[in-house]
Amino acid sequence: MKHIRNLIFAILILAISSCGKVPDKIFLNGKIYTLDKDNTIAEAIAVSNDEIVDIGTSKDMKDKYSSAQQIDLKGATVVPGFIDCDGNLIEFAKNLPNIYLTKYKSFHELDSVLKVYTKKYDNNIWIKVMYLSDDEATIDSLLSLNKDKLDKIDSLHNIYVINNTEEVAVCNSAMLKTLKINDKTKQPANGEIEINAKGELTGFLFDDATDMINENLRVYSKEDMLMLVEKAANELTKYGIIEVHDRNVNRESISIFRQLIDANKFPIKMYAVLTSGDETFKEYLTKGIEENYKNKLTVRAVSLDYDGGFGFQDAAMFREYLNEPKIKIPYNSEKEIENTLKDAWDKNFQVDIKTVGDKAVNVALNTIEKVRSDKNSDNHRTILQSVEFVNENDYQKISSLKIIPSIKPETTLEDSKILPELISADNNKNQGQWQKLYQSAGMVITGSDFPFQQISPLLQMYYLTTRQYPIDTVLSQVDNQRLSLPDALKSYTIFAAYSGFEEKLRGTLEKGKKADFVVLSDDILNINPVS
């Protein structure tokens, strides 16, 4: 555990378009986990721009390619690039200017941090500072701020500072203007827009008044979004992420991705998942799937949500919740799933169905089985997304239907803390049967759900292999459901690539595949994650 928490790693991602076969670079003296069928561990890899042309020992590579640039890995570990199978790049981009600090230390610190961010972003970008500490002293310190103090730091950007429970927020003048809050604004029933003795706004919003910081008002121009998405995509590479499967893509976001790709400003691959019923999906049904636009964009999947998360009792379960409402009504009906499967499979689109609860999984499997018997689609690669509970009788059906289960380890850990209040104790123990899913499907894929959860693939792998937070054990009663380190790594590489029909391009480090790889300071396959 100590090693993974403190792991400092360097990322190297190669993704430059070319098709030459003579290597221009060779990477030597590494420990290269190829993850090929023989689990070969190599020392050196030869690359011609974006393609692996050879792999083997350092001596062989130097002898064969003496004219190529030599890069000494100095014993570092190399693994295939990480593919996050559920992230939202547009929302991540919008939230990129958010600043998270532990506790309020001084006005000087706040001033220094904000000045770094105000130099990075245009004036109309929202900059949020959130203090994560529950310490009452932090709230007391925030009360020492006001609108005028924030204006002295910067009066042009939209800036607000808020505590972690969002009970206290202080805005600068620009933010108040954007929110259309003035001294005449109607006070909320259970909150306060603070006005001083002179009848002037102090910048403070208390309790329900903080709801007036409505992110729906955060509307950015196309130019702003291009800038933010470019920065966000580059930020992902710092975590070793070379591709994202995004279930929140529409016509506008595809246009942004394409424009950045054309300008050579998009360093990752986007696997776009459209939304059933959306106009964008209807358009693509007419023109068909789009594969590997400039090796950066694929549009060939569509999503539905049968249910949602446990936070609002939105997961569809066979057994009723302990509290009202006891039964979840699905977002997308069985008939809607059936129709989408038929439409999608007719045009070779993949289908991704959110199924958190055991009833959701069962309904989806039965519908897939029904449609598959009519369509006879053997390579559908349907994904059940965000799976947390599975009926014991459905594991065999997952296997026979060749379903790809997608899991969110951090969300599962978070839900385990609230489940005792929502469902019966004997049912609670069935949560997160990751090893059973792996055995039945032959694979699992992992989504971090960024930016709503922590983005780091290494952290998510830690959760998969330990089933615990860094500070306390949460799922110890089902320790036998942990994944091994190699399988956790495969969920971000081999299995993730297969789930996007890309097993011939990436996921392993082999000749002819894309040279997307990550260089790590530590050997993650030879450490004990629980120590």
Side-chain angles (χ1 to χ4, degrees), residues 293-323:
Y293 175 74
K294 296 187 177 180
N295 194 39
K296 292 291 185 180
L297 173 66
T298 289
V299 186
R300 65 159 305 162
V302 61
S303 69
L304 305 98
D305 290 353
Y306 185 84
D307 65 351
F310 280 99
F312 296 98
Q313 294 189 182
D314 273 348
M317 301 289 288
F318 275 115
R319 295 164 69 176
E320 295 181 352
Y321 285 98
L322 300 177
N323 311 311

mmCIF file of all heavy atoms in Angstrom, residues 293-323:
data_model
loop_
_atom_site.group_PDB
_atom_site.id
_atom_site.type_symbol
_atom_site.label_atom_id
_atom_site.label_comp_id
_atom_site.label_asym_id
_atom_site.label_seq_id
_atom_site.Cartn_x
_atom_site.Cartn_y
_atom_site.Cartn_z
ATOM 1 N N TYR A 293 -10.594 7.997 -36.880
ATOM 2 C CA TYR A 293 -10.339 9.248 -37.598
ATOM 3 C C TYR A 293 -8.974 9.787 -37.166
ATOM 4 O O TYR A 293 -8.769 10.143 -36.006
ATOM 5 C CB TYR A 293 -11.437 10.270 -37.290
ATOM 6 C CG TYR A 293 -11.195 11.636 -37.883
ATOM 7 C CD1 TYR A 293 -11.350 11.855 -39.241
ATOM 8 C CD2 TYR A 293 -10.798 12.699 -37.073
ATOM 9 C CE1 TYR A 293 -11.126 13.111 -39.797
ATOM 10 C CE2 TYR A 293 -10.574 13.962 -37.613
ATOM 11 C CZ TYR A 293 -10.739 14.156 -38.975
ATOM 12 O OH TYR A 293 -10.505 15.393 -39.520
ATOM 13 N N LYS A 294 -8.033 9.775 -38.081
ATOM 14 C CA LYS A 294 -6.652 10.193 -37.830
ATOM 15 C C LYS A 294 -6.068 9.512 -36.594
ATOM 16 O O LYS A 294 -5.247 10.073 -35.872
ATOM 17 C CB LYS A 294 -6.569 11.714 -37.701
ATOM 18 C CG LYS A 294 -6.943 12.446 -38.987
ATOM 19 C CD LYS A 294 -6.699 13.936 -38.908
ATOM 20 C CE LYS A 294 -7.023 14.610 -40.240
ATOM 21 N NZ LYS A 294 -6.799 16.068 -40.209
ATOM 22 N N ASN A 295 -6.519 8.273 -36.370
ATOM 23 C CA ASN A 295 -6.075 7.461 -35.233
ATOM 24 C C ASN A 295 -6.390 8.099 -33.879
ATOM 25 O O ASN A 295 -5.785 7.765 -32.869
ATOM 26 C CB ASN A 295 -4.569 7.154 -35.308
ATOM 27 C CG ASN A 295 -4.162 6.042 -34.347
ATOM 28 O OD1 ASN A 295 -4.894 5.074 -34.169
ATOM 29 N ND2 ASN A 295 -3.025 6.202 -33.695
ATOM 30 N N LYS A 296 -7.370 9.004 -33.850
ATOM 31 C CA LYS A 296 -7.670 9.717 -32.611
ATOM 32 C C LYS A 296 -9.141 9.652 -32.197
ATOM 33 O O LYS A 296 -9.460 9.963 -31.050
ATOM 34 C CB LYS A 296 -7.289 11.201 -32.762
ATOM 35 C CG LYS A 296 -5.795 11.464 -32.876
ATOM 36 C CD LYS A 296 -5.070 11.176 -31.588
ATOM 37 C CE LYS A 296 -3.610 11.548 -31.657
ATOM 38 N NZ LYS A 296 -2.904 11.276 -30.402
ATOM 39 N N LEU A 297 -10.035 9.291 -33.113
ATOM 40 C CA LEU A 297 -11.465 9.352 -32.797
ATOM 41 C C LEU A 297 -12.198 8.181 -33.431
ATOM 42 O O LEU A 297 -12.068 7.929 -34.632
ATOM 43 C CB LEU A 297 -12.055 10.667 -33.321
ATOM 44 C CG LEU A 297 -13.584 10.826 -33.215
ATOM 45 C CD1 LEU A 297 -14.025 10.882 -31.755
ATOM 46 C CD2 LEU A 297 -14.053 12.071 -33.975
ATOM 47 N N THR A 298 -12.953 7.459 -32.590
ATOM 48 C CA THR A 298 -13.855 6.412 -33.067
ATOM 49 C C THR A 298 -15.237 6.669 -32.495
ATOM 50 O O THR A 298 -15.388 6.964 -31.311
ATOM 51 C CB THR A 298 -13.360 5.015 -32.645
ATOM 52 O OG1 THR A 298 -12.186 4.677 -33.402
ATOM 53 C CG2 THR A 298 -14.409 3.956 -32.895
ATOM 54 N N VAL A 299 -16.254 6.575 -33.362
ATOM 55 C CA VAL A 299 -17.646 6.728 -32.933
ATOM 56 C C VAL A 299 -18.376 5.466 -33.363
ATOM 57 O O VAL A 299 -18.743 5.311 -34.517
ATOM 58 C CB VAL A 299 -18.308 7.972 -33.563
ATOM 59 C CG1 VAL A 299 -19.709 8.171 -32.981
ATOM 60 C CG2 VAL A 299 -17.456 9.212 -33.361
ATOM 61 N N ARG A 300 -18.596 4.536 -32.420
ATOM 62 C CA ARG A 300 -19.233 3.272 -32.805
ATOM 63 C C ARG A 300 -19.957 2.609 -31.635
ATOM 64 O O ARG A 300 -20.142 1.388 -31.593
ATOM 65 C CB ARG A 300 -18.211 2.301 -33.391
ATOM 66 C CG ARG A 300 -17.141 1.804 -32.458
ATOM 67 C CD ARG A 300 -16.531 0.505 -32.998
ATOM 68 N NE ARG A 300 -17.557 -0.498 -33.240
ATOM 69 C CZ ARG A 300 -17.370 -1.567 -34.019
ATOM 70 N NH1 ARG A 300 -16.220 -1.760 -34.609
ATOM 71 N NH2 ARG A 300 -18.340 -2.450 -34.187
ATOM 72 N N ALA A 301 -20.399 3.415 -30.655
ATOM 73 C CA ALA A 301 -21.095 2.842 -29.503
ATOM 74 C C ALA A 301 -22.216 3.772 -29.061
ATOM 75 O O ALA A 301 -22.189 4.975 -29.326
ATOM 76 C CB ALA A 301 -20.121 2.601 -28.352
ATOM 77 N N VAL A 302 -23.199 3.184 -28.386
ATOM 78 C CA VAL A 302 -24.340 3.946 -27.878
ATOM 79 C C VAL A 302 -24.671 3.456 -26.469
ATOM 80 O O VAL A 302 -24.514 2.277 -26.152
ATOM 81 C CB VAL A 302 -25.560 3.798 -28.815
ATOM 82 C CG1 VAL A 302 -26.000 2.349 -28.930
ATOM 83 C CG2 VAL A 302 -26.713 4.681 -28.353
ATOM 84 N N SER A 303 -25.113 4.367 -25.616
ATOM 85 C CA SER A 303 -25.379 4.019 -24.216
ATOM 86 C C SER A 303 -26.845 4.199 -23.850
ATOM 87 O O SER A 303 -27.565 5.014 -24.435
ATOM 88 C CB SER A 303 -24.524 4.878 -23.285
ATOM 89 O OG SER A 303 -24.954 6.227 -23.312
ATOM 90 N N LEU A 304 -27.274 3.397 -22.873
ATOM 91 C CA LEU A 304 -28.554 3.560 -22.194
ATOM 92 C C LEU A 304 -28.308 3.407 -20.703
ATOM 93 O O LEU A 304 -27.328 2.788 -20.287
ATOM 94 C CB LEU A 304 -29.579 2.505 -22.622
ATOM 95 C CG LEU A 304 -29.914 2.321 -24.087
ATOM 96 C CD1 LEU A 304 -29.114 1.160 -24.639
ATOM 97 C CD2 LEU A 304 -31.404 2.056 -24.270
ATOM 98 N N ASP A 305 -29.215 3.929 -19.895
ATOM 99 C CA ASP A 305 -29.165 3.748 -18.443
ATOM 100 C C ASP A 305 -30.434 3.041 -18.000
ATOM 101 O O ASP A 305 -31.525 3.636 -18.038
ATOM 102 C CB ASP A 305 -29.058 5.096 -17.721
ATOM 103 C CG ASP A 305 -27.715 5.773 -17.924
ATOM 104 O OD1 ASP A 305 -26.820 5.147 -18.512
ATOM 105 O OD2 ASP A 305 -27.574 6.932 -17.507
ATOM 106 N N TYR A 306 -30.303 1.770 -17.582
ATOM 107 C CA TYR A 306 -31.479 1.135 -16.990
ATOM 108 C C TYR A 306 -31.705 1.685 -15.588
ATOM 109 O O TYR A 306 -32.822 1.942 -15.185
ATOM 110 C CB TYR A 306 -31.325 -0.390 -16.939
ATOM 111 C CG TYR A 306 -32.594 -1.071 -16.442
ATOM 112 C CD1 TYR A 306 -33.621 -1.353 -17.323
ATOM 113 C CD2 TYR A 306 -32.769 -1.387 -15.093
ATOM 114 C CE1 TYR A 306 -34.801 -1.947 -16.873
ATOM 115 C CE2 TYR A 306 -33.934 -1.976 -14.636
ATOM 116 C CZ TYR A 306 -34.949 -2.250 -15.528
ATOM 117 O OH TYR A 306 -36.124 -2.819 -15.077
ATOM 118 N N ASP A 307 -30.613 1.873 -14.847
ATOM 119 C CA ASP A 307 -30.745 2.416 -13.494
ATOM 120 C C ASP A 307 -29.601 3.372 -13.209
ATOM 121 O O ASP A 307 -28.859 3.777 -14.108
ATOM 122 C CB ASP A 307 -30.824 1.292 -12.461
ATOM 123 C CG ASP A 307 -29.546 0.456 -12.352
ATOM 124 O OD1 ASP A 307 -28.642 0.641 -13.205
ATOM 125 O OD2 ASP A 307 -29.443 -0.369 -11.421
ATOM 126 N N GLY A 308 -29.467 3.763 -11.924
ATOM 127 C CA GLY A 308 -28.425 4.704 -11.512
ATOM 128 C C GLY A 308 -27.757 4.252 -10.229
ATOM 129 O O GLY A 308 -27.786 3.070 -9.876
ATOM 130 N N GLY A 309 -27.193 5.196 -9.494
ATOM 131 C CA GLY A 309 -26.417 4.867 -8.311
ATOM 132 C C GLY A 309 -27.254 4.690 -7.059
ATOM 133 O O GLY A 309 -28.453 4.987 -7.018
ATOM 134 N N PHE A 310 -26.576 4.232 -6.004
ATOM 135 C CA PHE A 310 -27.253 3.984 -4.735
ATOM 136 C C PHE A 310 -27.476 5.247 -3.921
ATOM 137 O O PHE A 310 -28.274 5.243 -2.982
ATOM 138 C CB PHE A 310 -26.448 2.969 -3.906
ATOM 139 C CG PHE A 310 -26.662 1.557 -4.330
ATOM 140 C CD1 PHE A 310 -25.750 0.921 -5.163
ATOM 141 C CD2 PHE A 310 -27.777 0.853 -3.917
ATOM 142 C CE1 PHE A 310 -25.942 -0.388 -5.563
ATOM 143 C CE2 PHE A 310 -27.978 -0.464 -4.311
ATOM 144 C CZ PHE A 310 -27.064 -1.093 -5.149
ATOM 145 N N GLY A 311 -26.775 6.329 -4.256
ATOM 146 C CA GLY A 311 -26.911 7.553 -3.470
ATOM 147 C C GLY A 311 -28.337 8.058 -3.375
ATOM 148 O O GLY A 311 -28.747 8.620 -2.356
ATOM 149 N N PHE A 312 -29.115 7.842 -4.449
ATOM 150 C CA PHE A 312 -30.524 8.261 -4.461
ATOM 151 C C PHE A 312 -31.464 7.065 -4.607
ATOM 152 O O PHE A 312 -32.585 7.197 -5.080
ATOM 153 C CB PHE A 312 -30.768 9.250 -5.607
ATOM 154 C CG PHE A 312 -30.015 10.537 -5.473
ATOM 155 C CD1 PHE A 312 -28.823 10.732 -6.153
ATOM 156 C CD2 PHE A 312 -30.477 11.546 -4.638
ATOM 157 C CE1 PHE A 312 -28.116 11.919 -6.024
ATOM 158 C CE2 PHE A 312 -29.775 12.727 -4.501
ATOM 159 C CZ PHE A 312 -28.596 12.925 -5.187
ATOM 160 N N GLN A 313 -30.976 5.895 -4.194
ATOM 161 C CA GLN A 313 -31.741 4.650 -4.321
ATOM 162 C C GLN A 313 -32.181 4.422 -5.765
ATOM 163 O O GLN A 313 -33.292 3.973 -6.042
ATOM 164 C CB GLN A 313 -32.953 4.651 -3.382
ATOM 165 C CG GLN A 313 -32.580 4.647 -1.918
ATOM 166 C CD GLN A 313 -33.758 4.420 -0.969
ATOM 167 O OE1 GLN A 313 -33.596 4.439 0.247
ATOM 168 N NE2 GLN A 313 -34.934 4.201 -1.506
ATOM 169 N N ASP A 314 -31.273 4.732 -6.685
ATOM 170 C CA ASP A 314 -31.579 4.614 -8.105
ATOM 171 C C ASP A 314 -31.168 3.279 -8.709
ATOM 172 O O ASP A 314 -31.464 3.011 -9.869
ATOM 173 C CB ASP A 314 -30.894 5.748 -8.889
ATOM 174 C CG ASP A 314 -31.739 7.002 -8.933
ATOM 175 O OD1 ASP A 314 -32.931 6.922 -8.568
ATOM 176 O OD2 ASP A 314 -31.221 8.051 -9.329
ATOM 177 N N ALA A 315 -30.447 2.455 -7.959
ATOM 178 C CA ALA A 315 -30.062 1.142 -8.475
ATOM 179 C C ALA A 315 -31.266 0.203 -8.405
ATOM 180 O O ALA A 315 -31.957 0.135 -7.385
ATOM 181 C CB ALA A 315 -28.896 0.579 -7.663
ATOM 182 N N ALA A 316 -31.527 -0.517 -9.492
ATOM 183 C CA ALA A 316 -32.681 -1.421 -9.552
ATOM 184 C C ALA A 316 -32.322 -2.767 -8.938
ATOM 185 O O ALA A 316 -31.485 -3.494 -9.470
ATOM 186 C CB ALA A 316 -33.133 -1.599 -10.998
ATOM 187 N N MET A 317 -32.969 -3.094 -7.813
ATOM 188 C CA MET A 317 -32.666 -4.315 -7.077
ATOM 189 C C MET A 317 -33.885 -5.219 -7.028
ATOM 190 O O MET A 317 -35.038 -4.762 -7.005
ATOM 191 C CB MET A 317 -32.229 -3.969 -5.646
ATOM 192 C CG MET A 317 -31.004 -3.074 -5.557
ATOM 193 S SD MET A 317 -29.483 -3.912 -6.032
ATOM 194 C CE MET A 317 -29.244 -5.002 -4.597
ATOM 195 N N PHE A 318 -33.659 -6.549 -7.001
ATOM 196 C CA PHE A 318 -34.760 -7.491 -6.867
ATOM 197 C C PHE A 318 -35.449 -7.324 -5.519
ATOM 198 O O PHE A 318 -36.676 -7.355 -5.425
ATOM 199 C CB PHE A 318 -34.256 -8.926 -7.019
ATOM 200 C CG PHE A 318 -34.164 -9.384 -8.447
ATOM 201 C CD1 PHE A 318 -32.939 -9.687 -9.016
ATOM 202 C CD2 PHE A 318 -35.301 -9.517 -9.222
ATOM 203 C CE1 PHE A 318 -32.853 -10.118 -10.332
ATOM 204 C CE2 PHE A 318 -35.227 -9.938 -10.536
ATOM 205 C CZ PHE A 318 -34.000 -10.241 -11.089
ATOM 206 N N ARG A 319 -34.654 -7.156 -4.483
ATOM 207 C CA ARG A 319 -35.226 -6.996 -3.142
ATOM 208 C C ARG A 319 -35.396 -5.521 -2.856
ATOM 209 O O ARG A 319 -34.545 -4.699 -3.178
ATOM 210 C CB ARG A 319 -34.322 -7.666 -2.110
ATOM 211 C CG ARG A 319 -34.282 -9.189 -2.324
ATOM 212 C CD ARG A 319 -33.140 -9.842 -1.593
ATOM 213 N NE ARG A 319 -33.313 -9.809 -0.156
ATOM 214 C CZ ARG A 319 -32.473 -10.388 0.703
ATOM 215 N NH1 ARG A 319 -31.418 -11.055 0.252
ATOM 216 N NH2 ARG A 319 -32.681 -10.305 1.994
ATOM 217 N N GLU A 320 -36.493 -5.175 -2.232
ATOM 218 C CA GLU A 320 -36.848 -3.780 -2.035
ATOM 219 C C GLU A 320 -35.881 -3.077 -1.077
ATOM 220 O O GLU A 320 -35.253 -3.704 -0.226
ATOM 221 C CB GLU A 320 -38.280 -3.666 -1.480
ATOM 222 C CG GLU A 320 -39.345 -4.149 -2.444
ATOM 223 C CD GLU A 320 -40.740 -3.983 -1.864
ATOM 224 O OE1 GLU A 320 -40.848 -3.631 -0.658
ATOM 225 O OE2 GLU A 320 -41.720 -4.197 -2.594
ATOM 226 N N TYR A 321 -35.810 -1.763 -1.227
ATOM 227 C CA TYR A 321 -35.032 -0.946 -0.297
ATOM 228 C C TYR A 321 -35.722 -0.922 1.065
ATOM 229 O O TYR A 321 -36.933 -1.152 1.184
ATOM 230 C CB TYR A 321 -34.896 0.476 -0.829
ATOM 231 C CG TYR A 321 -33.906 0.619 -1.967
ATOM 232 C CD1 TYR A 321 -34.337 0.651 -3.295
ATOM 233 C CD2 TYR A 321 -32.540 0.725 -1.721
ATOM 234 C CE1 TYR A 321 -33.435 0.783 -4.337
ATOM 235 C CE2 TYR A 321 -31.632 0.859 -2.756
ATOM 236 C CZ TYR A 321 -32.080 0.888 -4.066
ATOM 237 O OH TYR A 321 -31.187 1.012 -5.097
ATOM 238 N N LEU A 322 -34.940 -0.626 2.090
ATOM 239 C CA LEU A 322 -35.489 -0.553 3.443
ATOM 240 C C LEU A 322 -36.331 0.699 3.618
ATOM 241 O O LEU A 322 -37.232 0.744 4.457
ATOM 242 C CB LEU A 322 -34.338 -0.549 4.471
ATOM 243 C CG LEU A 322 -33.421 -1.780 4.460
ATOM 244 C CD1 LEU A 322 -32.292 -1.603 5.468
ATOM 245 C CD2 LEU A 322 -34.212 -3.054 4.751
ATOM 246 N N ASN A 323 -36.023 1.740 2.828
ATOM 247 C CA ASN A 323 -36.721 3.016 2.950
ATOM 248 C C ASN A 323 -37.524 3.308 1.689
ATOM 249 O O ASN A 323 -37.263 2.769 0.624
ATOM 250 C CB ASN A 323 -35.711 4.150 3.178
ATOM 251 C CG ASN A 323 -34.720 3.828 4.280
ATOM 252 O OD1 ASN A 323 -35.101 3.421 5.362
ATOM 253 N ND2 ASN A 323 -33.438 3.987 3.975
#
